[in-house]
PDB file of all heavy atoms in Angstrom:
ATOM      1  N   LEU A  18     -42.975  -8.245  -9.863  1.00 88.00           N
ATOM      2  CA  LEU A  18     -44.007  -9.170  -9.405  1.00 88.00           C
ATOM      3  C   LEU A  18     -45.378  -8.517  -9.512  1.00 88.00           C
ATOM      4  O   LEU A  18     -45.479  -7.282  -9.559  1.00 88.00           O
ATOM      5  CB  LEU A  18     -43.746  -9.576  -7.949  1.00 88.00           C
ATOM      6  CG  LEU A  18     -42.442 -10.340  -7.687  1.00 88.00           C
ATOM      7  CD1 LEU A  18     -42.168 -10.430  -6.199  1.00 88.00           C
ATOM      8  CD2 LEU A  18     -42.511 -11.744  -8.296  1.00 88.00           C
ATOM      9  N   PRO A  19     -46.443  -9.314  -9.508  1.00 88.00           N
ATOM     10  CA  PRO A  19     -47.785  -8.713  -9.612  1.00 88.00           C
ATOM     11  C   PRO A  19     -48.099  -7.742  -8.483  1.00 88.00           C
ATOM     12  O   PRO A  19     -48.813  -6.766  -8.686  1.00 88.00           O
ATOM     13  CB  PRO A  19     -48.712  -9.941  -9.562  1.00 88.00           C
ATOM     14  CG  PRO A  19     -47.868 -11.091  -9.989  1.00 88.00           C
ATOM     15  CD  PRO A  19     -46.487 -10.791  -9.519  1.00 88.00           C
ATOM     16  N   ASP A  20     -47.557  -7.989  -7.276  1.00 88.00           N
ATOM     17  CA  ASP A  20     -47.875  -7.137  -6.135  1.00 88.00           C
ATOM     18  C   ASP A  20     -46.677  -6.321  -5.644  1.00 88.00           C
ATOM     19  O   ASP A  20     -46.718  -5.729  -4.568  1.00 88.00           O
ATOM     20  CB  ASP A  20     -48.423  -7.970  -4.976  1.00 88.00           C
ATOM     21  CG  ASP A  20     -47.490  -9.112  -4.571  1.00 88.00           C
ATOM     22  OD1 ASP A  20     -46.509  -9.358  -5.303  1.00 88.00           O
ATOM     23  OD2 ASP A  20     -47.737  -9.736  -3.525  1.00 88.00           O
ATOM     24  N   ALA A  21     -45.609  -6.264  -6.448  1.00 85.00           N
ATOM     25  CA  ALA A  21     -44.442  -5.457  -6.051  1.00 85.00           C
ATOM     26  C   ALA A  21     -43.545  -5.243  -7.258  1.00 85.00           C
ATOM     27  O   ALA A  21     -43.207  -6.204  -7.961  1.00 85.00           O
ATOM     28  CB  ALA A  21     -43.660  -6.145  -4.932  1.00 85.00           C
ATOM     29  N   MET A  22     -43.167  -4.003  -7.465  1.00 84.00           N
ATOM     30  CA  MET A  22     -42.261  -3.670  -8.565  1.00 84.00           C
ATOM     31  C   MET A  22     -41.061  -2.921  -8.008  1.00 84.00           C
ATOM     32  O   MET A  22     -41.199  -2.036  -7.159  1.00 84.00           O
ATOM     33  CB  MET A  22     -42.970  -2.792  -9.592  1.00 84.00           C
ATOM     34  CG  MET A  22     -44.001  -3.536 -10.447  1.00 84.00           C
ATOM     35  SD  MET A  22     -43.243  -4.774 -11.529  1.00 84.00           S
ATOM     36  CE  MET A  22     -42.294  -3.717 -12.622  1.00 84.00           C
ATOM     37  N   GLY A  23     -39.865  -3.297  -8.482  1.00 82.00           N
ATOM     38  CA  GLY A  23     -38.669  -2.580  -8.098  1.00 82.00           C
ATOM     39  C   GLY A  23     -38.205  -2.909  -6.688  1.00 82.00           C
ATOM     40  O   GLY A  23     -38.519  -3.956  -6.125  1.00 82.00           O
ATOM     41  N   LEU A  24     -37.452  -1.954  -6.096  1.00 87.00           N
ATOM     42  CA  LEU A  24     -36.800  -2.197  -4.816  1.00 87.00           C
ATOM     43  C   LEU A  24     -37.770  -2.208  -3.640  1.00 87.00           C
ATOM     44  O   LEU A  24     -37.406  -2.632  -2.544  1.00 87.00           O
ATOM     45  CB  LEU A  24     -35.715  -1.145  -4.577  1.00 87.00           C
ATOM     46  CG  LEU A  24     -34.553  -1.163  -5.575  1.00 87.00           C
ATOM     47  CD1 LEU A  24     -33.565  -0.059  -5.254  1.00 87.00           C
ATOM     48  CD2 LEU A  24     -33.858  -2.523  -5.563  1.00 87.00           C
ATOM     49  N   GLY A  25     -38.998  -1.748  -3.852  1.00 87.00           N
ATOM     50  CA  GLY A  25     -39.969  -1.772  -2.765  1.00 87.00           C
ATOM     51  C   GLY A  25     -40.239  -3.185  -2.276  1.00 87.00           C
ATOM     52  O   GLY A  25     -40.427  -3.416  -1.075  1.00 87.00           O
ATOM     53  N   GLY A  26     -40.265  -4.153  -3.208  1.00 86.00           N
ATOM     54  CA  GLY A  26     -40.470  -5.542  -2.819  1.00 86.00           C
ATOM     55  C   GLY A  26     -39.320  -6.066  -1.984  1.00 86.00           C
ATOM     56  O   GLY A  26     -39.521  -6.794  -1.001  1.00 86.00           O
ATOM     57  N   LEU A  27     -38.083  -5.707  -2.353  1.00 89.00           N
ATOM     58  CA  LEU A  27     -36.905  -6.117  -1.588  1.00 89.00           C
ATOM     59  C   LEU A  27     -36.966  -5.553  -0.172  1.00 89.00           C
ATOM     60  O   LEU A  27     -36.735  -6.272   0.808  1.00 89.00           O
ATOM     61  CB  LEU A  27     -35.640  -5.653  -2.298  1.00 89.00           C
ATOM     62  CG  LEU A  27     -34.325  -5.805  -1.521  1.00 89.00           C
ATOM     63  CD1 LEU A  27     -34.049  -7.267  -1.214  1.00 89.00           C
ATOM     64  CD2 LEU A  27     -33.171  -5.173  -2.306  1.00 89.00           C
ATOM     65  N   GLU A  28     -37.298  -4.285  -0.059  1.00 90.00           N
ATOM     66  CA  GLU A  28     -37.350  -3.651   1.256  1.00 90.00           C
ATOM     67  C   GLU A  28     -38.423  -4.281   2.130  1.00 90.00           C
ATOM     68  O   GLU A  28     -38.210  -4.514   3.327  1.00 90.00           O
ATOM     69  CB  GLU A  28     -37.593  -2.152   1.091  1.00 90.00           C
ATOM     70  CG  GLU A  28     -36.420  -1.429   0.418  1.00 90.00           C
ATOM     71  CD  GLU A  28     -36.767  -0.007   0.019  1.00 90.00           C
ATOM     72  OE1 GLU A  28     -37.957   0.360   0.125  1.00 90.00           O
ATOM     73  OE2 GLU A  28     -35.847   0.719  -0.410  1.00 90.00           O
ATOM     74  N   ARG A  29     -39.564  -4.579   1.528  1.00 90.00           N
ATOM     75  CA  ARG A  29     -40.631  -5.203   2.310  1.00 90.00           C
ATOM     76  C   ARG A  29     -40.219  -6.590   2.788  1.00 90.00           C
ATOM     77  O   ARG A  29     -40.504  -6.984   3.932  1.00 90.00           O
ATOM     78  CB  ARG A  29     -41.901  -5.293   1.466  1.00 90.00           C
ATOM     79  CG  ARG A  29     -43.076  -5.906   2.221  1.00 90.00           C
ATOM     80  CD  ARG A  29     -44.309  -6.006   1.337  1.00 90.00           C
ATOM     81  NE  ARG A  29     -45.327  -6.851   1.954  1.00 90.00           N
ATOM     82  CZ  ARG A  29     -46.388  -7.326   1.336  1.00 90.00           C
ATOM     83  NH1 ARG A  29     -46.588  -7.022   0.042  1.00 90.00           N
ATOM     84  NH2 ARG A  29     -47.259  -8.096   1.968  1.00 90.00           N
ATOM     85  N   LEU A  30     -39.527  -7.329   1.926  1.00 89.00           N
ATOM     86  CA  LEU A  30     -39.092  -8.670   2.283  1.00 89.00           C
ATOM     87  C   LEU A  30     -38.078  -8.622   3.429  1.00 89.00           C
ATOM     88  O   LEU A  30     -38.147  -9.414   4.379  1.00 89.00           O
ATOM     89  CB  LEU A  30     -38.482  -9.348   1.055  1.00 89.00           C
ATOM     90  CG  LEU A  30     -38.541 -10.873   0.976  1.00 89.00           C
ATOM     91  CD1 LEU A  30     -39.974 -11.363   1.032  1.00 89.00           C
ATOM     92  CD2 LEU A  30     -37.869 -11.358  -0.300  1.00 89.00           C
ATOM     93  N   LEU A  31     -37.138  -7.688   3.353  1.00 89.00           N
ATOM     94  CA  LEU A  31     -36.139  -7.558   4.413  1.00 89.00           C
ATOM     95  C   LEU A  31     -36.778  -7.104   5.726  1.00 89.00           C
ATOM     96  O   LEU A  31     -36.407  -7.578   6.803  1.00 89.00           O
ATOM     97  CB  LEU A  31     -35.047  -6.570   3.986  1.00 89.00           C
ATOM     98  CG  LEU A  31     -34.160  -7.023   2.825  1.00 89.00           C
ATOM     99  CD1 LEU A  31     -33.234  -5.900   2.383  1.00 89.00           C
ATOM    100  CD2 LEU A  31     -33.343  -8.254   3.226  1.00 89.00           C
ATOM    101  N   ASP A  32     -37.752  -6.208   5.636  1.00 91.00           N
ATOM    102  CA  ASP A  32     -38.456  -5.763   6.847  1.00 91.00           C
ATOM    103  C   ASP A  32     -39.202  -6.914   7.511  1.00 91.00           C
ATOM    104  O   ASP A  32     -39.402  -6.916   8.730  1.00 91.00           O
ATOM    105  CB  ASP A  32     -39.444  -4.644   6.509  1.00 91.00           C
ATOM    106  CG  ASP A  32     -38.756  -3.331   6.170  1.00 91.00           C
ATOM    107  OD1 ASP A  32     -37.557  -3.179   6.535  1.00 91.00           O
ATOM    108  OD2 ASP A  32     -39.395  -2.465   5.545  1.00 91.00           O
ATOM    109  N   ALA A  33     -39.611  -7.892   6.703  1.00 90.00           N
ATOM    110  CA  ALA A  33     -40.340  -9.046   7.242  1.00 90.00           C
ATOM    111  C   ALA A  33     -39.408 -10.078   7.858  1.00 90.00           C
ATOM    112  O   ALA A  33     -39.871 -11.093   8.380  1.00 90.00           O
ATOM    113  CB  ALA A  33     -41.179  -9.688   6.142  1.00 90.00           C
ATOM    114  N   GLY A  34     -38.086  -9.838   7.777  1.00 87.00           N
ATOM    115  CA  GLY A  34     -37.127 -10.751   8.391  1.00 87.00           C
ATOM    116  C   GLY A  34     -36.555 -11.780   7.449  1.00 87.00           C
ATOM    117  O   GLY A  34     -36.171 -12.876   7.876  1.00 87.00           O
ATOM    118  N   ALA A  35     -36.466 -11.447   6.166  1.00 87.00           N
ATOM    119  CA  ALA A  35     -35.943 -12.391   5.188  1.00 87.00           C
ATOM    120  C   ALA A  35     -34.472 -12.713   5.469  1.00 87.00           C
ATOM    121  O   ALA A  35     -33.726 -11.875   5.972  1.00 87.00           O
ATOM    122  CB  ALA A  35     -36.078 -11.818   3.784  1.00 87.00           C
ATOM    123  N   PRO A  36     -34.051 -13.937   5.151  1.00 89.00           N
ATOM    124  CA  PRO A  36     -32.624 -14.280   5.244  1.00 89.00           C
ATOM    125  C   PRO A  36     -31.870 -13.650   4.080  1.00 89.00           C
ATOM    126  O   PRO A  36     -32.293 -12.625   3.547  1.00 89.00           O
ATOM    127  CB  PRO A  36     -32.648 -15.803   5.172  1.00 89.00           C
ATOM    128  CG  PRO A  36     -33.836 -16.114   4.315  1.00 89.00           C
ATOM    129  CD  PRO A  36     -34.859 -15.056   4.664  1.00 89.00           C
ATOM    130  N   ALA A  37     -30.769 -14.258   3.656  1.00 89.00           N
ATOM    131  CA  ALA A  37     -29.996 -13.732   2.533  1.00 89.00           C
ATOM    132  C   ALA A  37     -30.879 -13.626   1.288  1.00 89.00           C
ATOM    133  O   ALA A  37     -31.614 -14.552   0.951  1.00 89.00           O
ATOM    134  CB  ALA A  37     -28.814 -14.657   2.246  1.00 89.00           C
ATOM    135  N   VAL A  38     -30.821 -12.490   0.616  1.00 90.00           N
ATOM    136  CA  VAL A  38     -31.637 -12.251  -0.570  1.00 90.00           C
ATOM    137  C   VAL A  38     -30.727 -12.004  -1.769  1.00 90.00           C
ATOM    138  O   VAL A  38     -29.841 -11.141  -1.720  1.00 90.00           O
ATOM    139  CB  VAL A  38     -32.575 -11.038  -0.381  1.00 90.00           C
ATOM    140  CG1 VAL A  38     -33.375 -10.787  -1.658  1.00 90.00           C
ATOM    141  CG2 VAL A  38     -33.517 -11.265   0.791  1.00 90.00           C
ATOM    142  N   VAL A  39     -30.946 -12.772  -2.823  1.00 90.00           N
ATOM    143  CA  VAL A  39     -30.270 -12.561  -4.100  1.00 90.00           C
ATOM    144  C   VAL A  39     -31.329 -12.107  -5.094  1.00 90.00           C
ATOM    145  O   VAL A  39     -32.330 -12.801  -5.309  1.00 90.00           O
ATOM    146  CB  VAL A  39     -29.575 -13.833  -4.602  1.00 90.00           C
ATOM    147  CG1 VAL A  39     -29.037 -13.616  -6.024  1.00 90.00           C
ATOM    148  CG2 VAL A  39     -28.451 -14.240  -3.665  1.00 90.00           C
ATOM    149  N   VAL A  40     -31.141 -10.930  -5.664  1.00 88.00           N
ATOM    150  CA  VAL A  40     -32.090 -10.398  -6.634  1.00 88.00           C
ATOM    151  C   VAL A  40     -31.800 -11.048  -7.992  1.00 88.00           C
ATOM    152  O   VAL A  40     -30.676 -11.020  -8.483  1.00 88.00           O
ATOM    153  CB  VAL A  40     -31.978  -8.864  -6.731  1.00 88.00           C
ATOM    154  CG1 VAL A  40     -32.794  -8.338  -7.919  1.00 88.00           C
ATOM    155  CG2 VAL A  40     -32.466  -8.222  -5.427  1.00 88.00           C
ATOM    156  N   LEU A  41     -32.826 -11.671  -8.587  1.00 82.00           N
ATOM    157  CA  LEU A  41     -32.718 -12.313  -9.900  1.00 82.00           C
ATOM    158  C   LEU A  41     -33.842 -11.749 -10.755  1.00 82.00           C
ATOM    159  O   LEU A  41     -35.013 -12.077 -10.551  1.00 82.00           O
ATOM    160  CB  LEU A  41     -32.849 -13.829  -9.768  1.00 82.00           C
ATOM    161  CG  LEU A  41     -32.751 -14.650 -11.053  1.00 82.00           C
ATOM    162  CD1 LEU A  41     -31.386 -14.487 -11.690  1.00 82.00           C
ATOM    163  CD2 LEU A  41     -33.050 -16.118 -10.777  1.00 82.00           C
ATOM    164  N   THR A  42     -33.494 -10.902 -11.704  1.00 74.00           N
ATOM    165  CA  THR A  42     -34.531 -10.181 -12.432  1.00 74.00           C
ATOM    166  C   THR A  42     -34.116  -9.932 -13.869  1.00 74.00           C
ATOM    167  O   THR A  42     -32.934 -10.021 -14.220  1.00 74.00           O
ATOM    168  CB  THR A  42     -34.829  -8.841 -11.731  1.00 74.00           C
ATOM    169  OG1 THR A  42     -35.880  -8.178 -12.398  1.00 74.00           O
ATOM    170  CG2 THR A  42     -33.590  -7.960 -11.702  1.00 74.00           C
TER     171      THR A  42
END
């Protein structure tokens, strides 16, 4: 993404309280 690359974006999303996350890349 423009403001997140790799697993850092996933970790930030989960820290924010995201529900189930499916990585599609």
Side-chain angles (χ1 to χ4, degrees):
L18 297 168
D20 55 351
M22 287 294 294
L24 296 179
L27 171 62
E28 294 169 352
R29 181 181 167 193
L30 207 59
L31 293 173
D32 289 341
V38 178
V39 173
V40 170
L41 180 63
T42 183

